Amino acid sequence: MHFSIPETEVRSGENGSTYVIKKEHGNNLVPAFPPKKIFTLTPNDVEQRREQLEKYMQAVRQDPMLGASEMFNSFLRKAQQETQQIPTEEVPLEIYLSNGQKVEVNILTSDQTEDVLEAVASKLDLPDELVGYFSLFLVREGVDGGLTFVRKLQEFELPYVSVTSLRSSEFHIILRKSYWDTAYDSDVMDNRVGLNLLYAQTVSDIDRGWILVNKDQHRQLKSLQEKGSKKEFIRLGQTLKYFGYIKFDPCVTDFPEKGCHVIVSAGNNELNFQVKLPNEQMKEGSFKVTRMRCWRVTSSQVPVVNGSSSPTPGPCSSAKCEVKLELAFEYLMSKDRLQWVTITSPQAIMMSICLQSMVDELMVKKSGGSIKKMLRKRHNGPLHRSESQQAVKSPPLLDSPDPNRDQIVKLSTKLSSVSLRGISASNSANDISGNDFHGNYAFEGIGDDDL
């Protein structure tokens, strides 16, 4: 679960004294609340306290008992309403589908994400057993039709408050599948409504260029579309590169060197990097989630100087500031060599949510649990890694991509490149070629050969 406190506000009390409050989220009793200071806070003190409160909220929400308590989640829901001064009342809310169609549902402003999701499912006639296969996402649509995923709406969020508080028609809520393993597409496609939703998403992702299609594949897809063969269209889509991935806006990374521009995509249990090096050379590769030891999201206040962010963080008082978000993960680059990789992006929280949901899905699959139950409950606990990590050989990092490379089949091909006790390289058909960087890492009893 992710909490962000992007702003602080200084107000005067009745006696003329000043105090600082959080704008978005609240607190709980455990762990110990960050101590207050007696004297007037300097800009640096304010920033430090903002960070402490943010970390405090993360710690509270990650505790299984506190995070799941109705008292805590009720507090969060009320905090959202009170912050935006929105009373509880019945209102219409438009939810977008991938094809641009709108579904209007009547809800209460105090309804949380699951309530709204169920209302949309009921309006669409989507069966209860398939509701958990989908989620609501807050997105921003650009003038060019581009779609930016801000975040997946969390269970404690009030969708109406989240979207209306932004006060911009660019933002809206979209319904999209919430799982990563394409094997679950079969469950969805067995239902007429589920099939239509998945088909609309596949068509949209292809139109946006998120899924790579060559001329021959384009002709095949067009033919299937004209015949109304939706299942066959989706099955062909499953064989295409980046099927089921979420593509993020261009951002910056420090890998392979600081200041590189990168386009990140999440899917297939990995973060895919398309990196533009300072010498204008393009490189491509992937970081497998099973090879990440841990990751973190950090935020900081960055002053805006002459319309652009200052590269050096500093105090924010009356000067204009913006929030800088970073996702950093520790990755096993090669045997016995871990390295931190950082992505600086306004979508860092969304990237982290994607990673966490991939881990959740892998853990459930490994334990033999029900994906349906997992998707319904949406566990968002902390990520745990074993103290002793397995060593794995890694392919070469960041080689130039081959434009003539065949598309990678991502469905029904079993990875077999790692075992927990016998670690060896593999020529599995689903391995990324040497033109990419990626690896396979075992964690908490999971290896890629188990997937």
Side-chain angles (χ1 to χ4, degrees):
M1 184 62 63
H2 300 275
F3 292 89
S4 177
I5 303 173
E7 300 178 29
T8 57
E9 181 180 352
V10 179
R11 295 185 177 181
S12 297
E14 292 180 359
N15 59 357
S17 62
T18 61
Y19 54 94
V20 179
I21 64 171
K22 295 186 303 179
K23 185 175 181 181
E24 193 168 349
H25 295 298
N27 52 42
N28 209 305
L29 299 178
V30 179
F33 195 77
K36 294 182 179 181
K37 293 188 177 182
I38 300 176
F39 304 103
T40 302
L41 298 180
T42 66
N44 283 334
D45 291 333
V46 173
E47 172 62 12
Q48 184 181 40
R49 182 156 178 80
R50 184 196 67 79
E51 292 180 354
Q52 290 174 343
L53 290 170
E54 201 170 77
K55 291 177 181 178
Y56 172 81
M57 294 298 295
Q58 302 281 12
V60 172
R61 188 58 182 88
Q62 287 178 355
D63 183 281
M65 184 175 296
L66 292 173
S69 70
E70 174 56 26
M71 178 181 295
F72 181 64
N73 283 280
S74 175
F75 164 77
L76 292 175
R77 294 194 296 269
K78 290 179 180 177
Q80 293 170 75
Q81 282 188 275
E82 291 175 1
T83 299
Q84 300 301 327
Q85 299 181 337
I86 296 177
T88 298
E89 59 184 352
E90 186 172 320
V91 292
L93 179 63
E94 289 183 339
I95 306 296
Y96 285 67
L97 306 183
S98 295
N99 60 2
Q101 179 183 347
K102 301 176 187 178
V103 178
E104 186 176 287
V105 292
N106 291 319
I107 62 165
L108 294 175
T109 55
S110 58
D111 280 345
Q112 58 192 31
T113 300
E114 187 173 359
D115 300 324
V116 177
L117 179 59
E118 290 179 350
V120 175
S122 177
K123 192 74 175 283
L124 293 173
D125 201 24
L126 183 69
D128 290 344
E129 61 269 21
L130 291 182
V131 175
Y133 285 73
F134 295 87
S135 290
L136 299 177
F137 295 84
L138 180 64
V139 300
R140 185 179 75 246
E141 188 167 0
V143 291
D144 59 351
L147 205 61
T148 297
F149 277 73
V150 179
R151 65 178 180 274
K152 183 169 78 171
L153 297 184
Q154 304 297 288
E155 70 270 16
F156 66 84
E157 278 196 76
L158 310 184
Y160 178 83
V161 175
S162 294
V163 72
T164 57
S165 64
L166 294 168
R167 296 177 177 83
S168 172
S169 59
E170 294 180 348
F171 294 91
H172 53 258
I173 299 172
I174 191 171
L175 180 72
R176 185 180 173 91
K177 74 176 187 179
S178 60
Y179 57 89
W180 301 99
D181 191 336
T182 54
Y184 298 122
D185 287 342
S186 298
D187 295 345
V188 176
M189 289 192 292
D190 284 342
N191 173 262
R192 176 185 57 83
V193 178
L195 172 62
N196 288 336
L197 290 172
L198 188 56
Y199 172 75
Q201 179 177 316
T202 305
V203 171
S204 174
D205 286 357
I206 291 174
D207 289 344
R208 293 182 188 279
W210 287 15
I211 299 175
L212 297 188
V213 180
N214 60 34
K215 291 182 178 180
D216 183 56
Q217 293 161 344
H218 185 270
R219 285 193 295 268
Q220 295 179 56
L221 290 167
K222 186 176 181 180
S223 175
L224 292 172
Q225 204 168 12
E226 290 172 349
K227 294 177 183 177
S229 303
K230 296 179 181 179
K231 286 188 178 181
E232 289 75 11
F233 185 97
I234 294 171
R235 291 190 179 112
L236 177 55
Q238 290 170 335
T239 69
L240 304 179
K241 190 174 183 181
Y242 302 133
F243 176 84
Y245 281 60
I246 288 179
K247 188 175 183 179
F248 299 98
D249 292 346
C251 53
V252 177
T253 182
D254 63 356
F255 186 87
E257 52 187 289
K258 190 175 182 180
C260 288
H261 293 274
V262 62
I263 294 178
V264 180
S265 300
N268 194 34
N269 299 320
E270 68 183 21
L271 288 183
N272 178 273
F273 275 31
Q274 297 177 55
V275 179
K276 184 177 183 181
L277 301 178
N279 63 4
E280 302 298 314
Q281 186 179 6
M282 297 299 297
K283 302 275 186 173
E284 181 185 4
S286 299
F287 294 98
K288 283 289 184 181
V289 68
T290 47
R291 200 162 175 164
M292 295 178 186
R293 183 175 181 271
C294 60
W295 68 80
R296 62 176 179 242
V297 175
T298 57
S299 65
S300 58
Q301 297 275 1
V302 179
V304 177
V305 180
N306 297 327
S308 60
S309 302
S310 170
T312 305
C316 291
S317 53
S318 59
K320 290 185 177 180
C321 295
E322 66 177 27
V323 179
K324 177 184 178 182
L325 288 174
E326 291 185 338
L327 169 70
F329 56 88
E330 193 175 22
Y331 195 77
L332 187 69
M333 295 293 180
S334 59
K335 184 178 180 179
D336 301 326
R337 187 170 77 88
L338 287 162
Q339 178 178 334
W340 281 96
V341 176
T342 301
I343 305 167
T344 303
S345 167
Q347 295 173 285
I349 290 177
M350 181 63 193
M351 292 178 189
S352 180
I353 289 173
C354 290
L355 291 176
Q356 184 63 60
S357 61
M358 290 177 191
V359 171
D360 291 342
E361 196 169 300
L362 289 173
M363 296 292 283
V364 169
K365 191 171 184 180
K366 171 64 179 177
S367 65
S370 168
I371 187 69
K372 293 183 180 180
K373 290 182 179 179
M374 186 206 80
L375 291 171
R376 287 291 290 170
K377 293 184 178 180
R378 289 182 175 85
H379 294 300
N380 288 289
L383 175 66
H384 299 287
R385 301 295 191 199
S386 59
E387 292 289 335
S388 175
Q389 303 293 347
Q390 300 289 338
V392 189
K393 292 182 179 179
S394 176
L397 298 183
L398 276 178
D399 286 335
S400 298
D402 180 2
N404 298 316
R405 182 180 59 200
D406 292 334
Q407 302 295 336
I408 300 167
V409 179
K410 300 191 185 306
L411 183 64
S412 74
T413 304
K414 186 178 179 181
L415 285 174
S416 58
S417 53
V418 174
S419 63
L420 291 176
R421 305 193 183 279
I423 307 300
S424 62
S426 168
N427 292 322
S428 167
N430 207 33
D431 268 343
I432 308 297
S433 71
N435 291 320
D436 299 297
F437 57 97
H438 92 301
N440 304 286
Y441 195 23
F443 69 95
E444 292 288 343
I446 295 181
D448 282 342
D449 57 337
D450 298 309
L451 307 186

